[in-house]
Amino acid sequence: MDGPGHGDAALSAPTLTAREAGLVGCRQCTRVCEAADERCPRCGARLSSRDPGALQRVWAWWLAGALLFIPANTYPMLITSTVGRASEATIVGGVIELLHYGSYGVAGIVFFASVMIPVGKFVAIAYLAILVQRGHRTKPKHLLHLFEFVEWIGRWSMIDVFVVAILVALVQFDLIATINPGIAAVCFALSVVFTMLSALSFDSRAIWDRIKTLSND
Amino acid sequence: MRASPDMVCCPVCDALHHLTREPATGEKARCIRCGTVIANGKPQAILHIVVLASTALVLMTIVVFYPFLELRTGVFDSRASVFETVMSFSQGIMAPLSIAVAAFVIVLPVARLGLLIWALGPLSVDRTPWPGAARALRYAEILKPWAMAEIFMVGVAVALVKLADLATLSMGPAFWSFAAIVIITALKDTQMSKHSVWTALDTATRR
């Protein structure tokens, strides 16, 4: 029972933001600094009240990630050669193969991590960026939950890249069977990294800023 | 308005707060506006973080040097350590990916543990912090999303299923230490509260 307004004894707030008070809050260590400070005197993190270029960076990384997601899905992820015959599998192809084996659970995990999460992330980040750009009337807590979820789950897309690495390292029986990585592995890994950077560039404080501006109009 | 030492700023929504007192044991101080936990009352947190990080670091040496997974198909036998897994992309155009996987799975998790111990180790035994402690702690926080040991574990599980009917698989000692590291790291992160850790480091440096 320590949620907001539930008799929280340790914190009392004048509902004012650091920016409105003419101060800068350090996002690293929560210290409140003077507006003129360039770096936080306690932890040395770079301070910025609001970064005007944040949304541009979000969109730049988003676009790079989205573009790389296309070759990641069209090119092969795994190249398996068994007794002279080579077969190639894309991300979705690998999922279908798992379904044929009857491992529905694992197929579900791989499909979720490599297709659902990236696509969902692109949609969610674009949605957040557009709302913050235009100003919005959505409840800020809903947007924050969405953002925190996106930020947290993004890293899990790397599963498929690691699976490829493990398979390649283990299955090296020269004549009988070898597995080699395909070009899609690189594209996919880069796509995940770029979308993570896109989410990290997003300034959650903007969610509240933009709703304030609207109510003042 | 002037900045005063009892002021705390929510890192997520920028709301200003006055921290009237440090939260009591087991209590959490949440941001009034967005509900983010700003400080939590865990007096032993720093000691716990250092102990858990040291344990994970020791286990990490086992992970790198012992076999991780073993694969047998009749006469053929293949063994892979985490190091070999990391090097599996090392040919030609895939080489950068090899470096990235090495970074995500071994280098960054180890670096993060090392930085945390450097920053908080002396603090946990009531000594003056080592030089550069603030910088070390800041870098450890920056590295957080990029250390992906736990994701690698799920990747292992998926790979096991994919190979299950191809060959017999067995897990080496490195596999179990890696599993332990993932759990220990998760435990350690629940102890972290930016505000509390930074306040502790601040007061210790001034002493």
Side-chain angles (χ1 to χ4, degrees):
Chain A
M1 288 310 285
D2 44 17
H6 289 289
D8 200 332
L11 287 177
S12 73
T15 23
L16 194 67
T17 65
R19 184 184 177 80
E20 286 160 349
L23 301 166
V24 190
C26 175
R27 306 196 71 193
Q28 178 64 243
C29 71
T30 69
R31 192 193 145 108
V32 180
C33 312
E34 302 295 339
D37 292 347
E38 224 166 81
R39 280 180 178 273
C40 172
R42 176 156 71 177
C43 70
R46 198 177 286 280
L47 294 171
S48 87
S49 182
R50 293 298 181 272
D51 184 350
L55 271 178
Q56 262 181 41
R57 274 205 308 281
V58 170
W59 280 117
W61 290 123
W62 185 92
L63 193 68
L67 282 178
L68 275 167
F69 192 61
I70 301 166
N73 276 284
T74 49
Y75 283 101
M77 191 92 170
L78 275 179
I79 301 161
T80 319
S81 15
T82 35
V83 209
R85 273 186 306 140
S87 68
E88 301 179 336
T90 56
I91 292 175
V92 179
V95 173
I96 294 169
E97 206 176 309
L98 277 170
L99 284 176
H100 282 307
Y101 290 147
S103 353
Y104 300 107
V106 180
I109 292 175
V110 176
F111 184 72
F112 192 72
S114 343
V115 183
M116 301 274 279
I117 295 178
V119 171
K121 253 188 101 166
F122 289 130
V123 175
I125 294 175
Y127 174 71
L128 284 169
I130 289 169
L131 278 193
V132 163
Q133 229 159 355
R134 288 188 181 167
H136 62 92
R137 288 174 195 282
T138 321
K139 230 179 165 189
K141 263 201 189 166
H142 293 328
L143 293 184
L144 179 66
H145 287 323
L146 178 66
F147 172 64
E148 284 183 334
F149 183 68
V150 162
E151 209 186 15
W152 173 79
I153 205 158
R155 325 156 57 227
W156 288 92
S157 298
M158 281 307 249
I159 288 178
D160 224 22
V161 177
F162 293 150
V163 170
V164 173
I166 296 161
L167 291 179
V168 171
L170 267 178
V171 186
Q172 292 296 346
F173 307 109
D174 295 324
L175 289 169
I176 301 175
T178 43
I179 294 182
N180 285 307
I183 191 77
V186 180
C187 302
F188 189 76
L190 281 176
S191 173
V192 173
V193 168
F194 290 160
T195 35
M196 278 175 72
L197 286 169
S198 173
L200 286 173
S201 310
F202 186 80
D203 189 345
S204 55
R205 299 175 299 189
I207 296 175
W208 278 268
D209 290 346
R210 298 298 291 162
I211 205 164
K212 273 271 166 74
T213 334
L214 258 189
S215 59
N216 287 348
D217 283 344
Chain B
M1 197 185 267
R2 303 274 309 164
S4 72
D6 71 321
M7 272 193 219
V8 175
C9 178
C10 173
V12 171
C13 75
D14 209 28
L16 269 183
H17 300 77
H18 286 289
L19 193 67
T20 43
R21 57 173 178 79
E22 286 296 318
T25 309
E27 194 188 16
K28 282 178 184 160
R30 286 174 188 270
C31 170
I32 309 263
R33 186 155 73 159
C34 72
T36 306
V37 177
I38 293 180
N40 55 14
K42 285 191 176 130
Q44 293 292 305
I46 289 180
L47 184 62
H48 290 169
I49 293 169
V50 172
V51 169
L52 291 171
S54 315
T55 317
L57 203 58
V58 171
L59 287 171
M60 208 65 174
T61 54
I62 301 178
V63 170
V64 177
F65 295 115
Y66 283 82
F68 190 71
L69 289 170
E70 198 177 349
L71 184 73
R72 274 187 303 272
T73 49
V75 279
F76 289 91
D77 192 344
S78 150
R79 218 179 257 176
S81 64
V82 172
F83 186 72
E84 281 165 306
T85 309
V86 159
M87 295 312 285
S88 60
F89 292 123
S90 60
Q91 293 145 345
I93 194 172
M94 301 288 178
L97 195 56
S98 211
I99 298 166
V101 173
F104 290 146
V105 177
I106 305 174
V107 181
L108 295 183
V110 167
R112 208 178 150 230
L113 294 171
L115 287 169
L116 277 177
I117 295 170
W118 180 271
L120 302 177
L123 229 66
S124 66
V125 287
D126 281 325
R127 297 274 170 86
T128 325
W130 281 322
R135 178 167 297 195
L137 187 55
R138 185 153 55 90
Y139 286 152
E141 275 299 306
I142 294 171
L143 287 183
K144 198 177 173 189
W146 304 101
M148 301 190 183
E150 73 273 29
I151 298 164
F152 185 76
M153 273 323 274
V154 180
V156 171
V158 174
L160 289 184
V161 173
K162 279 202 174 189
L163 293 171
D165 50 340
L166 197 96
T168 329
L169 270 158
S170 55
M171 280 81 117
F175 179 86
W176 300 110
S177 1
F178 209 71
I181 289 171
V182 168
I183 296 166
I184 290 169
T185 310
L187 267 178
K188 184 196 78 208
D189 287 340
T190 60
Q191 300 286 321
M192 284 286 265
S193 136
K194 283 180 184 174
H195 172 79
S196 317
V197 171
W198 277 109
T199 313
L201 187 61
D202 204 21
T203 31
T205 317
R206 273 164 207 219
R207 204 166 40 200

